[in-house]
């Protein structure tokens, strides 16, 4: 570790060798990202040259076969579903992690933890299928057509709940022991310990968990495709169908030609921009960490 | 030892006598045949391809999907030996040669519990344009209609739009689906839904305890039989297209696909064979 430091006058050959390999691999990893970005931009360019950027936000609707390319409804749909799912899953996930670590008896905590881990392992298409045959008919009885923003939010919240909960739990586990010992020394109540010490101290970790969950939410495709109705419109209520950027690509990519195909790559590019924003947010949240 | 060697030689000689004609026949047909295009035709083409491969062991048939438009484009650019197109060729596609393999119909489907017996073309158009919003208006229950449409690019959508003289932007759908199966599941789960899917998959589902109902068109019941005899109006041909007059492997494959030797495969995909 110390030997590989650049300050050492004569690093061993082993270290040089290792450094070289590490350089190669990290270069390869970043190259792949670069290639994906290049591929997205390269495939989007034809339509961007052809009709310009403004049409993607100002056209009257998304009907690519009639040369109408408005992506705003999909952008709004993606963001609304993500926000809704976060609003549901973040409090639930954090509270469940608190329960698991500070309140539950050991046996229950272990069982509960493995349950959450199992939840995170269920494939998204299973959630989608459950949504389609159970949740959508239920919502349909309240307010047709059932395939809606609400269905998407509920299913997505279920899917990202484990991400929030597991990362929150890991954050709590990483808190310095001294905090707890100090609190015990002051004979603080468990509630005070929680609200005055633990939560403020793990603020940045919790924020990171939420942002990572948001990243998963925005990229989800299969389940959303099955339960959201996929209408390219800005929803006027929770019961309106919506289409996300990911569903837009999955629905139409197989059949798209020419400008239509290019426009779908623009959807992908837009998704990348959102993910990039989320990741840099997570990065900034992580910097404010108390213990890092 | 000597004896057994002689027998071996004899066996090899006999093998040559028996199999030489077969191998020389197979040698005439070898290579790779690429078919791309309609996702409707792909499963059928793959089945025919498998049987064709078993007849000609040195042939490989590669079937890819991507939609009828891709079938046309690939056949034109020579990226595929044969394009598969699940509609009649458009006027600007007449540079290609087409061979009709079978027919497929599009059925309007509603939930089995829906009391509606039939809908006129005008009613269907009005429903899809969002002008009729309640089943009561067309003689059904007092329930809002859920309109199911297909995603852009599907040939089922093209056929539907063309037949009813609609533009996709005029349609006011509540749900947009990808494939037939998703459409059938959505209608089966929603008593107030109306949708349209390939007649083969609809008839199969309706006869296998899935609660959907096929509506007649212009008084003609939606069935495979009526597509075959040409009376059902909302139907389409499934075509194999080529850029030039097919020769060699492509010709053998097309001849085989148009023969009655593949009727069972066509029927198994719930399409309708039309070639004698």
């Amino acid at each position: 570790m110390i030997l590989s430091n650049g300050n050492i006058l004569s690093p061993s050959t082993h270290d040089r060798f290792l450094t070289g390999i590490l350089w190669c691999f990290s270069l390869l990893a970043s190259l792949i990202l670069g290639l994906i970005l290049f591929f997205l931009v390269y495939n989007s360019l034809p339509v961007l040259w052809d009709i310009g950027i403004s049409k993607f936000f100002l056209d009257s609707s998304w009907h690519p076969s009639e040369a109408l390319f408005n992506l705003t409804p999909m952008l709004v749909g993606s963001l609304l579903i993500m926000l809704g799912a976060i609003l549901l899953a973040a409090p639930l996930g954090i509270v469940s992690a608190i329960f698991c670590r500070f309140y539950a008896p050991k046996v229950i905590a272990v069982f509960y933890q493995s349950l959450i881990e199992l939840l995170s392992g269920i494939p998204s298409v299973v959630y989608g299928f459950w949504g389609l045959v159970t949740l959508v008919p239920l919502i349909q009885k309240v307010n047709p057509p059932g395939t809606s923003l609400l269905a998407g939010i509920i299913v997505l919240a279920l899917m990202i709940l484990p991400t929030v909960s597991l990362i929150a739990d890991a954050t709590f586990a990483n808190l310095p022991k001294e905090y707890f010992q100090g609190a015990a020394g002051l004979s603080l109540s468990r509630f005070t310990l929680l609200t005055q010490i633990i939560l403020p101290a793990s603020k940045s970790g919790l924020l990171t968990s939420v942002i990572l969950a948001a990243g998963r939410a925005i990229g989800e495709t299969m389940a959303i495709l099955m339960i959201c109705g996929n209408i390219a419109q800005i929803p006027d209520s929770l019961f309106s169908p919506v289409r996300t950027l990911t569903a837009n690509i999955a629905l139409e990519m197989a059949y798209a030609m020419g400008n239509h195909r290019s426009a779908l790559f623009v959807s992908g590019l837009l998704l990348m921009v959102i993910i990039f924003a989320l990741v840099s947010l997570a990065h900034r949240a992580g910097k404010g960490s108390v213990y890092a | 030892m000597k004896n057994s060697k002689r027998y071996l030689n004899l066996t090899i000689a006999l093998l040559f006598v028996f199999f030489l004609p077969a191998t020389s026949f197979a040698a005439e047909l070898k290579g790779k045949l690429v078919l791309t295009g309609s996702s409707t035709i792909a499963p059928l083409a793959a089945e025919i391809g498998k049987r064709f491969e078993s007849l000609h062991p040195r042939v490989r048939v590669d079937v890819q999907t991507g939609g009828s438009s891709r079938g046309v484009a690939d056949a034109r650019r020579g990226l595929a030996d044969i394009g598969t197109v699940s509609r009649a060729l458009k006027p600007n596609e007449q540079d290609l040669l087409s061979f009709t393999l079978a027919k497929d119909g599009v059925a309007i489907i509603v939930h089995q519990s829906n009391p509606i017996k039939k809908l006129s073309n005008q009613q269907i158009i009005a429903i899809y344009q969002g002008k009729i919003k309640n089943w009561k208006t067309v003689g059904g229950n007092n329930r809002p209609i859920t309109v199911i449409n297909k995603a852009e690019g599907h040939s089922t959508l093209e056929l539907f739009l063309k037949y009813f003289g609609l533009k996709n932007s005029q349609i006011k759908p509540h749900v947009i689906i990808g494939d037939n199966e998703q459409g059938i599941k959505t209608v089966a789960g929603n008593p107030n839904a109306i949708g349209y899917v390939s007649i083969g998959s609809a008839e199969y589902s309706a006869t296998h305890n899935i609660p959907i109902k096929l509506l007649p068109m212009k008084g003609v019941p939606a069935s495979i039989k009526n597509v075959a005899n040409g009376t059902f109006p909302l139907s389409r041909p499934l075509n194999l297209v080529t850029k030039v007059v097919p020769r060699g492997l492509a010709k053998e494959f097309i001849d085989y696909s148009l023969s009655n030797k593949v009727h069972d495969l066509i029927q198994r995909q719930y399409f309708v064979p039309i070639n004698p």
Side-chain angles (χ1 to χ4, degrees), chain B residues 214-229:
Chain B
L214 287 69
L215 293 182
M217 296 290 303
K218 290 186 171 168
V220 183
S223 69
I224 289 175
K225 201 182 89 214
N226 288 336
V227 171
N229 62 27

PDB file of all heavy atoms in Angstrom, chain B residues 214-229:
ATOM      1  N   LEU B 214     -64.405 -12.371 -29.385  1.00  0.00           N
ATOM      2  CA  LEU B 214     -64.065 -11.782 -30.675  1.00  0.00           C
ATOM      3  C   LEU B 214     -65.327 -11.213 -31.309  1.00  0.00           C
ATOM      4  O   LEU B 214     -66.334 -11.918 -31.436  1.00  0.00           O
ATOM      5  CB  LEU B 214     -63.460 -12.829 -31.620  1.00  0.00           C
ATOM      6  CG  LEU B 214     -62.024 -13.306 -31.344  1.00  0.00           C
ATOM      7  CD1 LEU B 214     -61.940 -14.124 -30.073  1.00  0.00           C
ATOM      8  CD2 LEU B 214     -61.499 -14.097 -32.526  1.00  0.00           C
ATOM      9  N   LEU B 215     -65.298  -9.941 -31.713  1.00  0.00           N
ATOM     10  CA  LEU B 215     -66.480  -9.322 -32.320  1.00  0.00           C
ATOM     11  C   LEU B 215     -66.479  -9.547 -33.830  1.00  0.00           C
ATOM     12  O   LEU B 215     -65.424  -9.544 -34.460  1.00  0.00           O
ATOM     13  CB  LEU B 215     -66.489  -7.818 -32.035  1.00  0.00           C
ATOM     14  CG  LEU B 215     -66.675  -7.390 -30.582  1.00  0.00           C
ATOM     15  CD1 LEU B 215     -66.717  -5.870 -30.491  1.00  0.00           C
ATOM     16  CD2 LEU B 215     -67.937  -7.985 -29.982  1.00  0.00           C
ATOM     17  N   PRO B 216     -67.675  -9.760 -34.412  1.00  0.00           N
ATOM     18  CA  PRO B 216     -67.740  -9.899 -35.875  1.00  0.00           C
ATOM     19  C   PRO B 216     -67.500  -8.557 -36.562  1.00  0.00           C
ATOM     20  O   PRO B 216     -67.721  -7.503 -35.971  1.00  0.00           O
ATOM     21  CB  PRO B 216     -69.167 -10.389 -36.101  1.00  0.00           C
ATOM     22  CG  PRO B 216     -69.931  -9.903 -34.922  1.00  0.00           C
ATOM     23  CD  PRO B 216     -68.980  -9.876 -33.773  1.00  0.00           C
ATOM     24  N   MET B 217     -67.038  -8.606 -37.804  1.00  0.00           N
ATOM     25  CA  MET B 217     -66.853  -7.387 -38.592  1.00  0.00           C
ATOM     26  C   MET B 217     -67.805  -7.429 -39.773  1.00  0.00           C
ATOM     27  O   MET B 217     -67.772  -8.375 -40.562  1.00  0.00           O
ATOM     28  CB  MET B 217     -65.424  -7.309 -39.128  1.00  0.00           C
ATOM     29  CG  MET B 217     -64.348  -7.195 -38.066  1.00  0.00           C
ATOM     30  SD  MET B 217     -64.355  -5.608 -37.247  1.00  0.00           S
ATOM     31  CE  MET B 217     -64.155  -4.526 -38.649  1.00  0.00           C
ATOM     32  N   LYS B 218     -68.641  -6.381 -39.918  1.00  0.00           N
ATOM     33  CA  LYS B 218     -69.623  -6.323 -41.006  1.00  0.00           C
ATOM     34  C   LYS B 218     -70.429  -7.612 -41.063  1.00  0.00           C
ATOM     35  O   LYS B 218     -70.699  -8.148 -42.152  1.00  0.00           O
ATOM     36  CB  LYS B 218     -68.935  -6.094 -42.357  1.00  0.00           C
ATOM     37  CG  LYS B 218     -68.349  -4.702 -42.496  1.00  0.00           C
ATOM     38  CD  LYS B 218     -67.822  -4.496 -43.896  1.00  0.00           C
ATOM     39  CE  LYS B 218     -67.444  -3.051 -44.117  1.00  0.00           C
ATOM     40  NZ  LYS B 218     -66.677  -2.869 -45.359  1.00  0.00           N
ATOM     41  N   GLY B 219     -70.786  -8.155 -39.912  1.00  0.00           N
ATOM     42  CA  GLY B 219     -71.609  -9.354 -39.862  1.00  0.00           C
ATOM     43  C   GLY B 219     -70.861 -10.651 -40.078  1.00  0.00           C
ATOM     44  O   GLY B 219     -71.434 -11.724 -39.952  1.00  0.00           O
ATOM     45  N   VAL B 220     -69.576 -10.567 -40.416  1.00  0.00           N
ATOM     46  CA  VAL B 220     -68.801 -11.795 -40.608  1.00  0.00           C
ATOM     47  C   VAL B 220     -68.111 -12.156 -39.290  1.00  0.00           C
ATOM     48  O   VAL B 220     -67.346 -11.346 -38.759  1.00  0.00           O
ATOM     49  CB  VAL B 220     -67.730 -11.599 -41.707  1.00  0.00           C
ATOM     50  CG1 VAL B 220     -66.977 -12.904 -41.943  1.00  0.00           C
ATOM     51  CG2 VAL B 220     -68.368 -11.095 -42.987  1.00  0.00           C
ATOM     52  N   PRO B 221     -68.389 -13.342 -38.737  1.00  0.00           N
ATOM     53  CA  PRO B 221     -67.750 -13.727 -37.482  1.00  0.00           C
ATOM     54  C   PRO B 221     -66.226 -13.778 -37.641  1.00  0.00           C
ATOM     55  O   PRO B 221     -65.726 -14.191 -38.679  1.00  0.00           O
ATOM     56  CB  PRO B 221     -68.296 -15.135 -37.203  1.00  0.00           C
ATOM     57  CG  PRO B 221     -69.528 -15.247 -38.032  1.00  0.00           C
ATOM     58  CD  PRO B 221     -69.314 -14.364 -39.224  1.00  0.00           C
ATOM     59  N   ALA B 222     -65.533 -13.300 -36.612  1.00  0.00           N
ATOM     60  CA  ALA B 222     -64.073 -13.318 -36.645  1.00  0.00           C
ATOM     61  C   ALA B 222     -63.584 -14.729 -36.361  1.00  0.00           C
ATOM     62  O   ALA B 222     -63.658 -15.198 -35.239  1.00  0.00           O
ATOM     63  CB  ALA B 222     -63.510 -12.345 -35.611  1.00  0.00           C
ATOM     64  N   SER B 223     -63.150 -15.431 -37.402  1.00  0.00           N
ATOM     65  CA  SER B 223     -62.622 -16.775 -37.191  1.00  0.00           C
ATOM     66  C   SER B 223     -61.559 -17.063 -38.239  1.00  0.00           C
ATOM     67  O   SER B 223     -61.504 -16.417 -39.292  1.00  0.00           O
ATOM     68  CB  SER B 223     -63.746 -17.815 -37.295  1.00  0.00           C
ATOM     69  OG  SER B 223     -64.182 -17.887 -38.629  1.00  0.00           O
ATOM     70  N   ILE B 224     -60.739 -18.045 -37.922  1.00  0.00           N
ATOM     71  CA  ILE B 224     -59.682 -18.444 -38.845  1.00  0.00           C
ATOM     72  C   ILE B 224     -60.279 -18.879 -40.180  1.00  0.00           C
ATOM     73  O   ILE B 224     -59.770 -18.561 -41.250  1.00  0.00           O
ATOM     74  CB  ILE B 224     -58.843 -19.570 -38.197  1.00  0.00           C
ATOM     75  CG1 ILE B 224     -58.015 -18.984 -37.052  1.00  0.00           C
ATOM     76  CG2 ILE B 224     -57.966 -20.256 -39.207  1.00  0.00           C
ATOM     77  CD1 ILE B 224     -57.246 -19.989 -36.256  1.00  0.00           C
ATOM     78  N   LYS B 225     -61.427 -19.573 -40.084  1.00  0.00           N
ATOM     79  CA  LYS B 225     -62.095 -20.089 -41.286  1.00  0.00           C
ATOM     80  C   LYS B 225     -62.450 -18.951 -42.249  1.00  0.00           C
ATOM     81  O   LYS B 225     -62.207 -19.032 -43.451  1.00  0.00           O
ATOM     82  CB  LYS B 225     -63.363 -20.852 -40.861  1.00  0.00           C
ATOM     83  CG  LYS B 225     -63.863 -21.846 -41.885  1.00  0.00           C
ATOM     84  CD  LYS B 225     -65.135 -22.506 -41.397  1.00  0.00           C
ATOM     85  CE  LYS B 225     -66.334 -21.689 -41.842  1.00  0.00           C
ATOM     86  NZ  LYS B 225     -67.463 -21.641 -40.978  1.00  0.00           N
ATOM     87  N   ASN B 226     -63.011 -17.880 -41.679  1.00  0.00           N
ATOM     88  CA  ASN B 226     -63.449 -16.774 -42.524  1.00  0.00           C
ATOM     89  C   ASN B 226     -62.295 -15.948 -43.084  1.00  0.00           C
ATOM     90  O   ASN B 226     -62.459 -15.251 -44.080  1.00  0.00           O
ATOM     91  CB  ASN B 226     -64.422 -15.865 -41.760  1.00  0.00           C
ATOM     92  CG  ASN B 226     -65.773 -16.543 -41.583  1.00  0.00           C
ATOM     93  OD1 ASN B 226     -66.130 -17.421 -42.352  1.00  0.00           O
ATOM     94  ND2 ASN B 226     -66.486 -16.155 -40.540  1.00  0.00           N
ATOM     95  N   VAL B 227     -61.148 -16.031 -42.420  1.00  0.00           N
ATOM     96  CA  VAL B 227     -59.968 -15.379 -42.988  1.00  0.00           C
ATOM     97  C   VAL B 227     -59.498 -16.192 -44.194  1.00  0.00           C
ATOM     98  O   VAL B 227     -59.169 -15.645 -45.247  1.00  0.00           O
ATOM     99  CB  VAL B 227     -58.851 -15.268 -41.937  1.00  0.00           C
ATOM    100  CG1 VAL B 227     -57.563 -14.790 -42.577  1.00  0.00           C
ATOM    101  CG2 VAL B 227     -59.261 -14.310 -40.831  1.00  0.00           C
ATOM    102  N   ALA B 228     -59.530 -17.522 -44.041  1.00  0.00           N
ATOM    103  CA  ALA B 228     -59.063 -18.400 -45.116  1.00  0.00           C
ATOM    104  C   ALA B 228     -59.899 -18.228 -46.368  1.00  0.00           C
ATOM    105  O   ALA B 228     -59.366 -18.143 -47.485  1.00  0.00           O
ATOM    106  CB  ALA B 228     -59.096 -19.855 -44.657  1.00  0.00           C
ATOM    107  N   ASN B 229     -61.241 -18.161 -46.205  1.00  0.00           N
ATOM    108  CA  ASN B 229     -62.063 -18.053 -47.409  1.00  0.00           C
ATOM    109  C   ASN B 229     -62.217 -16.610 -47.894  1.00  0.00           C
ATOM    110  O   ASN B 229     -62.955 -16.329 -48.829  1.00  0.00           O
ATOM    111  CB  ASN B 229     -63.425 -18.736 -47.200  1.00  0.00           C
ATOM    112  CG  ASN B 229     -64.229 -18.077 -46.086  1.00  0.00           C
ATOM    113  OD1 ASN B 229     -64.062 -16.900 -45.800  1.00  0.00           O
ATOM    114  ND2 ASN B 229     -65.102 -18.848 -45.460  1.00  0.00           N
TER     115      ASN B 229
END
